[in-house]
Amino acid sequence: MTHLPPPAEELRLLDAELWQLDARRAQLLARRAWLVASLQSSRPVAPPLPPAAPRPEASAPRVQNVLLLLGGVLLTVAAIAFTLVSWGHLGITGRALVLGTVTLAVLAAPLPLLRRGLRSTAESVAGLGLALTVLDAYALHEAALAGTDGTGYAAAAAAVLVGLWAAYGRGLGALRLPLPAALVAAQLPLTLWSVAAGADPYAVATALLATAGLDTVLALVLPAGAVGAVRVTATAGGYGLGGWGVLAAGWLSWTATGPGDAARAAALLAFAAVIALVAAARLPETGVATGTAVAGGLLLVAAAGGPLRAALPDGWAVPVHLAFGVALSAAVRADRLPEPVRQGLIRAAAVVQALALLWAVPLVVVTLLGPLGWAERPWRGEPSDARAAVTVHTPWPPYAGQALLVLVAVAGVLFLAGRHEARRPWARTGALVLAWAACVALPAVLGLPYVAALAMLGAVTAATAFLPTPWPALAGSLHLAFLSLASQSATLTVLSALTVSCATASRWPRLAPVAAPGALGYAAALAVATGAAAGLQPSHTALLVLCVPVAAALAAARLGASAATVPVEVTGTAAALLALGLAAPDAPMLATVLAACGVIAAGTAARPDRRQAAYPAAALFVLATWVRLAAWDVITPEAYTLPVTVPALLVGAWRRHRDPLTGSWTAYGPGLAATLVPSLAAAWRDPEWPRPLLLGAAALLVTLLGARHRLRAPLVLGGSVLVLDALHELAPYLVQVADALPRWVPPALAGVLLLAVGATYERRLRDVRHVREVLGRMN
């Protein structure tokens, strides 16, 4: 068996072993420190890195191009100045010799430069030579052909320069500037010739579009990778001149006074549409191709509708263009076209329909919002017809019949498009909404009798309740309700019918979130209208309105977790606020309404999921008490509030004993507020000292009790009342002190405060920096 020493001997051995370990550890740490120091002393010191050289901000080729561009521009400016200013000091021979020699020399200079590999310099010199040829043409006109027409000469000179620059560029194939420059000059001859020949605007627009068509053909023929600058220039010319030509043709079509002029403008628009559609068909499938096809489709519609617009009476321009837009969408679905063209034409038809709807918006706005004017002057008498009913404050829009036709047509198009599976959700909904808007506007457009219009709108509102979305039905019911305000009997009848209809519709779960609050809202409006019809005061009408919050509370308790519960409660709360607003001028009735609202809130708080309603219930009861005391002109409110406060505090104490988690605001807040607040109001009106003294003592006691038991409600209520009571007592002295103080004292005190805050802020920043430095030294 192993021999174990006595405990005292074993402890001595352990201490000796630990001492030896500590001594060995100290030796090893000392040796390690010496090794680290010797390694650091023998390590060579690295020389400091030289400062980094400043990085150039521009590359050498870019600097070169900028210098060459500036040199070419300066030389061109010098040549222009010489031609325009110093030209008259030389004779015919000198002029020809100078310009010819300089131009030939400059145009020939790129050859040796290209041989030496100076391509950028050759491009700059070639650009100068091209500019000199323009100056040569100008000089030739001023010297020898001054009597010729300037516009015609400019057209001929532009054509000659196109040929010369193209030949020059083809001869020097390494240069990229001459061919795009020739194409830029080629944009001028046709248009200038038409202007010089005294052509009418139709011929000038034709010249613009013809030039744009040639640019388009050139841009489509050239390959994408070769002669890129020429292709880009041709594309820019096609879009630029094509845009100007389209604007000119559109203006001619809009201002055409007869079918003949409209047909000529339509031919121009059709020509532009053909150019755009051909380009879209040849372009790759990108957004540019689709956008070009959209422009082509819009031009086709404008070309087709222009002659008919000129032949028909005013107001038919939009329906005519809409008809052609619908026809375009139908034709595109039947033809086999490239995908970008097909998508572009479909979108063009959609744009036409959207613009037509935008034109019809005033009719819908006047029809829907016009009856709001009856809210300012209700029951002024039954209007003559539906149009007079919707134009109380707004004028009737022109061409209402055509606008109604646009609504119906677009609704039909959307309904047909909704048959497609991918478009069914939004197309069907859009079609139904537009059809509803057309039905709402129909009585006013036709000028139906007022009663017949109300009956028709009621039927439309009932029918829209079966739509996929219930919002049109709600909007229609609001429109019908405001429209009925013109007549007392109509108002009562319509509001009753809407209340019953919405209450019946709320039985369906899909309609309940909209129909249930709608029924409550119309019931509140019916209560107000009934009180006004019976000649009741607004404060007494509030009692009728209170039936709506009661019904809302009962309905919400029955609905439970339904989606309609919150909307019903919100509507009931809004009706309660309406009742309070009606009863506000009459203090006794306001106290009654407040108490009734408190009862409703307390009943709502009985539901397990609405326990928080107990707070507004308590507040409403307290407010009702205060208003009642104020209405009775009570000068000693404590005689009425203390009998309420004492039982309320006892009930609160009993509840906290049963449930320690109950908050002090719930247990003691209503009871304390019921006495402290009315007493404070009475103390502020009392010029004597006993009441404020007693109130201050009571508030101090409540504050101390709140602090002793750490309860928020006694602490906050008692402290607030104590401070306000003290301010009331000190107010006269504070006013005297304020009058005695010089006017510079408040700004000075504010300045001292700001300086103190700033100094504190700076000291804290200094302490933070100090702590950071200490931590850095520790690391």
Side-chain angles (χ1 to χ4, degrees):
M1 295 179 64
T2 303
H3 173 71
L4 294 177
E9 182 65 20
E10 184 178 1
L11 180 61
R12 186 184 64 80
L13 293 176
L14 290 176
D15 289 341
E17 187 70 23
L18 291 174
W19 182 84
Q20 292 178 1
L21 290 175
D22 290 340
R24 183 58 178 168
R25 184 174 183 274
Q27 293 176 359
L28 293 176
L29 289 176
R31 181 62 179 174
R32 180 182 180 279
W34 182 83
L35 291 174
V36 170
S38 56
L39 287 175
Q40 290 179 350
S41 61
S42 62
R43 181 180 299 172
V45 179
L49 296 176
R55 184 178 181 182
E57 297 181 354
S59 61
R62 181 171 297 179
V63 174
Q64 164 196 300
N65 294 335
V66 171
L67 294 177
L68 292 176
L69 177 62
L70 291 176
V73 170
L74 292 177
L75 288 175
T76 303
V77 172
I80 294 173
F82 171 77
T83 304
L84 298 178
V85 178
S86 301
W87 184 256
H89 300 288
L90 300 175
I92 295 296
T93 305
R95 298 172 187 177
L97 181 61
V98 171
L99 277 179
T101 303
V102 173
T103 302
L104 291 176
V106 172
L107 290 176
L111 290 174
L113 293 175
L114 289 174
R115 293 193 190 99
R116 297 190 178 187
L118 302 176
R119 180 174 177 177
S120 298
T121 307
E123 292 280 2
S124 180
V125 174
L128 177 60
L130 299 180
L132 289 175
T133 57
V134 177
L135 294 177
D136 289 338
Y138 170 76
L140 179 61
H141 178 267
E142 293 296 322
L145 302 174
T148 60
D149 179 56
T151 306
Y153 178 79
V160 172
L161 289 178
V162 169
L164 291 178
W165 291 356
Y168 183 69
R170 297 293 294 178
L172 300 177
L175 296 179
R176 294 175 294 182
L177 182 60
L179 290 179
L183 187 56
V184 171
Q187 311 301 313
L188 303 176
L190 283 178
T191 305
L192 292 177
W193 272 330
S194 63
V195 175
D200 58 1
Y202 294 92
V204 176
T206 303
L208 289 172
L209 292 175
T211 306
L214 295 175
D215 290 333
T216 303
V217 171
L218 184 60
L220 295 176
V221 169
L222 291 175
V227 203
V230 178
R231 193 168 186 268
V232 171
T233 306
T235 303
Y239 280 111
L241 289 184
W244 283 109
V246 166
L247 289 177
W251 179 78
L252 291 173
S253 176
W254 184 258
T255 58
T257 57
D261 294 339
R264 296 174 64 188
L268 293 175
L269 292 173
F271 179 44
V274 170
I275 295 174
L277 293 177
V278 170
R282 293 291 301 274
L283 289 173
E285 296 186 7
T286 59
V288 176
T290 304
T292 306
V294 170
L298 293 176
L299 291 173
L300 279 180
V301 174
L308 285 179
R309 181 194 60 81
L312 293 175
D314 293 339
W316 288 96
V318 174
V320 165
H321 287 86
L322 175 62
F324 283 106
V326 173
L328 177 64
S329 62
V332 168
R333 299 179 191 280
D335 293 341
R336 309 182 78 181
L337 296 172
E339 187 62 21
V341 177
R342 192 178 71 85
Q343 290 294 331
L345 293 179
I346 291 176
R347 295 180 184 181
V351 170
V352 172
Q353 297 174 35
L355 293 175
L357 285 179
L358 187 63
W359 179 75
V361 162
L363 173 63
V364 180
V365 171
V366 170
T367 303
L368 292 179
L369 302 184
L372 296 180
W374 290 109
E376 296 182 2
R377 44 179 184 178
W379 299 353
R380 294 298 180 91
E382 185 176 309
S384 58
D385 54 16
R387 183 175 301 180
V390 299
T391 55
V392 185
H393 288 165
T394 55
W396 184 248
Y399 314 123
Q402 290 86 336
L404 181 64
L405 180 62
V406 167
L407 293 175
V408 175
V410 178
V413 172
L414 290 178
F415 182 78
L416 293 177
R419 295 181 303 175
H420 195 281
E421 188 66 27
R423 298 185 179 90
R424 175 172 296 178
W426 65 267
R428 287 283 182 88
T429 302
L432 293 174
V433 170
L434 290 178
W436 167 79
C439 292
V440 171
L442 182 61
V445 173
L446 297 179
L448 296 180
Y450 177 66
V451 177
L454 291 179
M456 180 178 176
L457 291 175
V460 171
T461 302
T464 52
F466 299 96
L467 294 179
T469 173
W471 298 111
L474 179 61
S477 64
L478 289 173
H479 170 71
L480 183 60
F482 280 102
L483 196 64
S484 68
L485 293 178
S487 171
Q488 176 178 326
S489 58
T491 301
L492 297 176
T493 303
V494 169
L495 291 179
S496 301
L498 289 176
T499 303
V500 174
S501 300
C502 290
T504 305
S506 62
R507 299 176 59 184
W508 284 272
R510 184 180 65 87
L511 301 176
V514 176
L520 295 173
Y522 290 128
L526 179 61
V528 175
T530 302
L536 300 178
Q537 295 294 328
S539 57
H540 293 84
T541 304
L543 297 178
L544 295 177
V545 178
L546 278 178
C547 299
V548 176
V550 173
L554 296 176
R558 183 178 179 182
L559 290 172
S562 172
T565 302
V566 174
V568 165
E569 292 176 339
V570 171
T571 308
T573 303
L577 294 176
L578 174 61
L580 292 175
L582 293 173
D586 189 350
M589 188 59 67
L590 178 60
T592 303
V593 173
L594 284 171
C597 291
V599 173
I600 297 172
T604 303
R607 294 165 51 192
D609 57 337
R610 292 293 186 267
R611 297 299 188 192
Q612 63 273 18
Y615 299 104
L620 288 170
F621 284 131
V622 172
L623 286 174
T625 303
W626 296 343
V627 173
R628 175 58 65 182
L629 293 176
W632 286 341
D633 293 329
V634 174
I635 61 174
T636 309
E638 293 81 4
Y640 300 91
T641 58
L642 285 177
V644 177
T645 296
V646 173
L649 293 178
L650 293 177
V651 171
W654 174 78
R655 182 173 179 181
R656 279 184 60 84
H657 177 72
R658 294 287 303 271
D659 185 8
L661 298 180
T662 303
S664 62
W665 286 105
T666 303
Y668 306 121
L672 292 175
T675 294
L676 290 177
V677 176
S679 298
L680 179 63
W684 272 71
R685 298 192 303 266
D686 193 350
E688 302 297 332
W689 62 268
R691 181 188 296 277
L693 179 62
L694 294 176
L695 177 62
L700 178 61
L701 178 60
V702 171
T703 304
L704 294 176
L705 289 175
R708 172 67 179 80
H709 297 283
R710 298 180 181 180
L711 300 176
R712 290 184 180 180
L715 188 62
V716 172
L717 289 175
S720 301
V721 173
L722 181 61
V723 170
L724 293 175
D725 185 66
L727 288 177
H728 171 264
E729 294 303 308
L730 295 177
Y733 304 102
L734 293 177
V735 171
Q736 294 177 4
V737 172
D739 291 338
L741 286 177
R743 295 187 177 182
W744 58 266
V745 172
L749 293 177
V752 171
L753 176 63
L754 293 177
L755 288 177
V757 173
T760 304
Y761 186 74
E762 182 180 8
R763 186 177 68 255
R764 290 181 179 179
L765 290 178
R766 184 194 61 193
D767 295 342
V768 171
R769 286 195 296 268
H770 178 68
V771 171
R772 184 173 58 191
E773 292 174 359
V774 171
L775 293 176
R777 288 196 298 268
M778 291 176 62
N779 292 330

